[in-house]
Amino acid sequence: MSLREKLKALEELQQIDLDVAGLAGEAEQIPIRRAQIEAGVAAARKEYDAQRARLDDNEREQRGAEQLLQMERDKVKKWEGRLGEIRTPREYAALSREIDIARKTNETQTEGLKALVAQATELHKGLDAAGEALSEKEMAAEAEQAELSAREQEFGKKLADLEVRRADAAKRVEPALLARYEGIKKRRAGIAVAAVVGHTCRGCNRNIPPQLFIVLQRAESIETCPNCNRIIYSAAAVSPPAASSA
Ligand SMILES: [Zn+2]
């Protein structure tokens, strides 16, 4: 196998590895997104439960106020019945005053109860809205989770496909060169092979020395960039535009 072909295989390997890394990066986002969706539903459910609790409190308060009011009304009725049995004007006046006070208190309590009932109407509206928001959130979450599952499957398929292609490309690179490639890849943010276009290394965007440029044109040896230490090749020499039509 010519060096040109080896360099092409390396170039291909590099592209596959970049694709794998890109895919892995996207796949990593899935569990993060899943957690966000779940948190959104949990927040909507919490809001619904809070509205429910507010309404429950209101209803409990209403029942308490109604019972109290009923007791007070019964008391007033009893006192009113007793008025007829009273013989002394002083006692009569005293009880009448008590009755007046109790009636006024009951009026205030009745107003309070009305306010609670009005508040309950608003709370019901709030609860309905929160319930609707919750079920909308749940439905959207379910749909998106299913979509994410489909994407996970798709990623799995693509990854399996890339692995097959990678094994094939790796076979075309001799073990020592492959080990060198892996070592540089680890040290250089996943990119071990860079094309030189013009006089510029695409790995670090710095110009290579003129002498090295001439060596690269021959494509007869494995060279590395003096600046970023990546394996470099001349794009024009390894994949000349004319070669594709030949
Ligand atoms: Zn470089």
Side-chain angles (χ1 to χ4, degrees):
M1 189 180 281
S2 75
L3 197 80
R4 237 174 257 261
E5 283 169 313
K6 280 180 198 167
L7 282 169
K8 273 195 169 185
L10 269 187
E11 189 188 20
E12 202 183 321
L13 201 61
Q14 178 69 76
Q15 191 51 56
I16 292 168
D17 282 347
L18 284 176
D19 288 349
V20 168
L23 217 57
E26 278 185 72
E28 268 172 32
Q29 295 305 309
I30 291 182
I32 295 169
R33 182 65 199 142
R34 282 196 193 285
Q36 282 174 342
I37 295 168
E38 278 163 27
V41 172
R45 187 170 294 124
K46 198 175 161 192
E47 175 59 23
Y48 177 80
D49 289 344
Q51 294 277 9
R52 173 84 259 172
R54 254 172 258 158
L55 186 59
D56 286 347
D57 283 348
N58 174 287
E59 284 170 348
R60 201 174 305 117
E61 236 180 294
Q62 277 192 53
R63 281 194 300 275
E66 273 165 10
Q67 279 173 6
L68 207 68
L69 197 58
Q70 197 50 57
M71 273 164 58
E72 290 299 310
R73 278 179 182 147
D74 289 347
K75 196 169 79 184
V76 169
K77 239 178 235 165
K78 215 164 75 185
W79 285 351
E80 282 171 340
R82 209 182 288 164
L83 272 182
E85 301 157 10
I86 287 177
R87 298 288 168 248
T88 73
R90 248 189 83 206
E91 262 182 75
Y92 190 93
L95 189 56
S96 290
R97 202 166 55 241
E98 288 296 318
I99 290 170
D100 276 349
I101 292 168
R103 272 187 190 146
K104 268 184 195 122
T105 305
N106 285 356
E107 270 169 35
T108 310
Q109 298 281 11
T110 305
E111 288 308 310
L113 189 58
K114 272 185 196 161
L116 280 174
V117 171
Q119 200 185 44
T121 309
E122 289 309 306
L123 288 172
H124 266 295
K125 276 185 208 163
L127 183 65
D128 285 349
E132 235 167 81
L134 174 59
S135 55
E136 262 172 39
K137 205 81 183 185
E138 280 173 335
M139 275 194 292
E142 205 179 315
E144 201 183 339
Q145 294 281 20
E147 203 181 291
L148 289 175
S149 297
R151 249 167 75 194
E152 261 173 345
Q153 275 194 330
E154 194 193 316
F155 284 162
K157 262 187 228 158
K158 277 188 186 169
L159 219 68
D161 188 46
L162 285 171
E163 269 163 31
V164 171
R165 282 177 50 208
R166 191 188 197 280
D168 182 58
K171 248 185 275 171
R172 285 183 275 138
V173 181
E174 67 209 59
L177 185 56
L178 191 63
R180 207 166 141 197
Y181 166 87
E182 297 290 2
I184 300 171
K185 199 178 81 174
K186 224 172 267 171
R187 288 193 302 274
R188 294 281 151 188
I191 299 176
V193 184
V196 170
V197 179
H199 285 76
T200 309
C201 165
R202 287 289 191 216
C204 60
N205 284 318
R206 300 269 283 266
N207 279 356
I208 55 161
Q211 187 55 41
L212 187 53
F213 177 79
I214 294 162
V215 172
L216 287 183
Q217 297 315 301
R218 291 199 284 267
E220 285 168 350
S221 53
I222 298 290
E223 301 296 335
T224 53
C225 171
N227 184 55
C228 69
N229 293 318
R230 292 184 173 98
I231 297 167
I232 47 173
Y233 62 93
S234 158
V238 171
S239 307
S244 55
S245 59

